[in-house]
Amino acid sequence: MNKNSSTENIIELIDVRKVFDDETVAVDNFNLQVRKGEFVTFLGPSGCGKTTTLRMIAGFDIPSSGKILLNGEDISLLPPNKRPVNTVFQKYALFPHLNVYENIAFGLRLKRTENTYRNKDGKEYKKKQKLSKSEIDKKVKKALEIVDLEGFEKRSVATLSGGQQQRIAIARAIVNEPEILLLDEPLGALDLKMRKEMQIELKKMHRLLGITFIYVTHDQEEALTMSDKVVVINDGEIQQTGTPDEIYNEPVNTFVADFIGDSNIFNGAIVGKLKVRFCGATFDCLDDYEINQLVDVVVRPEDIKICKPGEGQLKGKVISSVFKGVHYEITVGVGKFEIVIQSTTTAPVDSVIGMKIEPDGIHLMEKVYTVNRYDGVITKNNTVKFGDGEFDCDVTKLYSGSHLDEQGYLITAAGGQLDLTGVEVEIEVDTHDITMTDDIDAGGAQGNIISMIYKGDHYRYIVRTEENEEDYVFSCPDLWNTGDRVGIIIPPDKIKMKLKESQSND
């Protein structure tokens, strides 16, 4: 590690992975650098691994593999009380039988500082001592000033509002002067108005203290409002790291675009140099991809300008217009597509409008999901097992000119008889060839919906199985709910199979 890296970065996570006893992978391949004094936010949906990562930094959980460095030193196995880190939780865990002063002073009374003295012979010796009453008093009063609650020392914590209790929890954490303050959804219990006020207060505290804040939230507005750096996490992995502006204006994939703010997401194709086609029209763009490449297209609602029909690239009928306080949210039908616009002016329902999108309002990204691929094996029933399921298939596709006899054996074009039981195959299924049903036993596999993204005229779903966490990615026009348990249906003629390389050469 070079010297500059170790002095600039207070925390580094290197290939960190966390697997729990039930073999659930909570965090995978996590690499992150946090600079001294930064306000870093872990942002993602519930269950994405952000709190687990915070707990590993705090020392409450130990990584299954990888390293956590503090100022260049490996602290992966260091217990929490040995780390210069304090944590503020969503549940404040204040002591109800102690007043405000005693709650804040609690940790200081347990603290021991090492002081150096000289004996009568002039030799130095060190001694661990408790803080004096005056030292504790000074630190408590300073912490109360920082959280703007001077004069509350003798108040019972039970008489405080939620926002005041949150400030006391923060004061108790900062009074120990940690190098890093970890905050795990600390505003989750507050009402909307108080949350917004506390966002501003926390940012002010961060500037005042000058220490490193690592903050966990699922609230996009909190992350964008307060952070120097946002780490977007999904499914235990970092999706994107950057400033709030970078995360919002240049999302790297459709998950980030969909999770951060409002987005129109469409399937598109490159049709020329810096030209992309989506929603039945061709647009100039700034992202350079190869011609005919399939892409995901992201357009923020505020980047679509209303104009007269015929003046923009698109024309459509207004489905709805809802006033949102600072703008109108207008939904427009363009053929089979629905497009959402945010505008300071409204448009009457059923009116026909034009829509114009400038090149810098169009963000392209390479399509991640174009086909599902699995390793499979043929069973004695001439079905195929893959993706934690078993499906009917056409095994004659594996050998040109073959057919099945009455006993179910495959007869090759040359007349040879083959028993395919146990034969390993490679499987491909297109995303538009999978459907789901609420009758979980009706399909060849079953799982839970873990992701859904609206793409203008359909939803892209990801269904994950329980046993080996296999994913099925597909398109569907109908609205389902995240978490729904469903059966997966794939017609036999839509399952593309080929023999694995080792067996095709046998």
Side-chain angles (χ1 to χ4, degrees), residues 11 42 61 114 155 159 161 198 223 233 275 291 447 450 490:
I11 283 285
F42 293 166
D61 285 334
E114 193 171 68
R155 291 275 294 273
T159 66
S161 68
M198 281 303 298
I233 304 170
K275 290 189 181 294
I291 293 176
I450 65 162
I490 309 174

Side-chain angles (χ1 to χ4, degrees), residues 187-241:
L187 309 185
L190 305 180
D191 61 42
L192 181 61
K193 184 178 179 183
M194 183 60 71
R195 284 175 76 105
K196 291 182 178 294
E197 290 177 2
M198 281 303 298
Q199 288 171 19
I200 297 168
E201 288 298 318
L202 277 173
K203 190 63 181 173
K204 187 168 74 174
M205 286 180 213
H206 175 252
R207 286 196 299 268
L208 193 62
L209 292 165
I211 63 175
T212 305
F213 277 34
I214 302 179
Y215 190 95
V216 162
T217 185
H218 63 272
D219 188 299
Q220 302 95 320
E221 184 182 343
E222 277 184 14
L224 297 177
T225 299
M226 297 189 293
S227 313
D228 300 319
K229 179 192 291 180
V230 179
V231 183
V232 185
I233 304 170
N234 187 43
D235 217 9
E237 296 185 359
I238 295 175
Q239 302 295 309
Q240 186 173 357
T241 301

Side-chain angles (χ1 to χ4, degrees), residues 6 8 67 155 190 284 303 346 354 389 410 418 428 455 469 478 484:
S6 63
E8 288 184 356
K67 292 181 180 179
R155 291 275 294 273
L190 305 180
D284 293 328
D303 289 332
T346 188
L410 186 133
L418 295 177
E428 284 192 2
K455 304 194 76 174
E469 296 192 340
D478 302 319
D484 283 353

Side-chain angles (χ1 to χ4, degrees), residues 94-352:
L94 299 175
F95 301 117
H97 61 289
L98 300 180
N99 64 21
V100 167
Y101 183 98
E102 292 300 330
N103 262 279
I104 299 172
F106 184 82
L108 294 176
R109 297 198 192 285
L110 301 176
K111 193 172 184 178
R112 301 289 185 273
T113 58
E114 193 171 68
N115 298 313
T116 302
Y117 298 93
R118 289 183 184 274
N119 62 20
K120 59 183 180 181
D121 297 324
K123 290 183 178 180
E124 288 188 354
Y125 66 96
K126 294 181 178 180
K127 184 179 179 182
K128 286 190 174 181
Q129 294 177 301
K130 291 182 178 180
L131 294 174
S132 68
K133 187 177 183 305
S134 62
E135 287 175 313
I136 291 173
D137 196 55
K138 184 178 178 182
K139 288 178 181 292
V140 170
K141 287 184 175 178
K142 182 181 177 184
L144 281 168
E145 285 176 16
I146 290 171
V147 299
D148 202 21
L149 287 177
E150 307 99 306
F152 277 64
E153 289 91 339
K154 295 183 180 180
R155 291 275 294 273
S156 166
V157 293
T159 66
L160 304 181
S161 68
Q164 290 170 334
Q165 288 186 17
Q166 178 63 82
R167 289 168 190 248
I168 297 304
I170 292 170
R172 189 175 61 182
I174 64 177
V175 78
N176 286 306
E177 299 170 351
E179 291 184 50
I180 304 168
L181 185 62
L182 307 179
L183 302 109
D184 188 6
E185 305 248 18
L187 309 185
L190 305 180
D191 61 42
L192 181 61
K193 184 178 179 183
M194 183 60 71
R195 284 175 76 105
K196 291 182 178 294
E197 290 177 2
M198 281 303 298
Q199 288 171 19
I200 297 168
E201 288 298 318
L202 277 173
K203 190 63 181 173
K204 187 168 74 174
M205 286 180 213
H206 175 252
R207 286 196 299 268
L208 193 62
L209 292 165
I211 63 175
T212 305
F213 277 34
I214 302 179
Y215 190 95
V216 162
T217 185
H218 63 272
D219 188 299
Q220 302 95 320
E221 184 182 343
E222 277 184 14
L224 297 177
T225 299
M226 297 189 293
S227 313
D228 300 319
K229 179 192 291 180
V230 179
V231 183
V232 185
I233 304 170
N234 187 43
D235 217 9
E237 296 185 359
I238 295 175
Q239 302 295 309
Q240 186 173 357
T241 301
T243 65
D245 281 351
E246 289 168 345
I247 296 291
Y248 185 84
N249 292 318
E250 297 295 335
V252 298
N253 58 36
T254 52
F255 172 80
V256 176
D258 185 61
F259 193 74
I260 308 294
D262 298 318
S263 295
N264 295 283
I265 303 175
F266 308 104
N267 291 328
I270 303 300
V271 294
K273 179 70 173 176
L274 299 180
K275 290 189 181 294
V276 61
R277 187 168 181 81
F278 62 92
C279 291
T282 300
F283 299 78
D284 293 328
C285 60
L286 302 179
D287 298 311
D288 195 5
Y289 286 87
E290 292 184 9
I291 293 176
N292 296 325
Q293 184 168 349
L294 299 178
V295 292
D296 284 320
V297 181
V298 174
V299 181
R300 297 291 189 186
E302 66 269 22
D303 289 332
I304 303 174
K305 307 305 177 189
I306 297 175
C307 58
K308 293 179 181 178
E311 291 185 2
Q313 301 103 326
L314 296 171
K315 181 174 70 173
K317 181 183 282 190
V318 176
I319 298 171
S320 67
S321 178
V322 180
F323 184 55
K324 293 285 189 174
V326 293
H327 64 260
Y328 291 90
E329 186 170 281
I330 303 165
T331 303
V332 183
V334 180
K336 63 180 182 177
F337 299 97
E338 284 189 4
I339 298 175
V340 177
I341 304 170
Q342 290 176 355
S343 171
T344 54
T345 58
T346 188
V349 173
D350 291 333
S351 64
V352 176

Side-chain angles (χ1 to χ4, degrees), residues 75-94:
I75 62 164
S76 305
L77 302 177
L78 201 66
N81 62 318
K82 300 289 186 183
R83 304 186 186 200
V85 171
N86 270 47
T87 307
V88 179
F89 299 99
Q90 182 175 343
K91 294 181 179 178
Y92 314 136
L94 299 175

Side-chain angles (χ1 to χ4, degrees), residues 341-410:
I341 304 170
Q342 290 176 355
S343 171
T344 54
T345 58
T346 188
V349 173
D350 291 333
S351 64
V352 176
I353 61 171
M355 287 157 281
K356 188 173 185 179
I357 309 173
E358 297 293 344
D360 61 358
I362 297 171
H363 308 284
L364 305 186
M365 49 200 69
E366 189 173 342
K367 286 187 77 68
V368 177
Y369 302 110
T370 55
V371 68
N372 294 274
R373 291 187 175 89
Y374 309 94
D375 291 326
V377 60
I378 304 298
T379 72
K380 65 180 180 180
N381 302 317
N382 284 328
T383 59
V384 60
K385 282 187 174 182
F386 65 87
D388 282 348
E390 186 171 349
F391 297 83
D392 291 329
C393 65
D394 182 0
V395 293
T396 62
K397 289 182 178 181
L398 294 170
Y399 293 88
S400 179
S402 65
H403 68 277
L404 294 177
D405 66 11
E406 292 179 356
Q407 286 75 41
Y409 290 103
L410 186 133

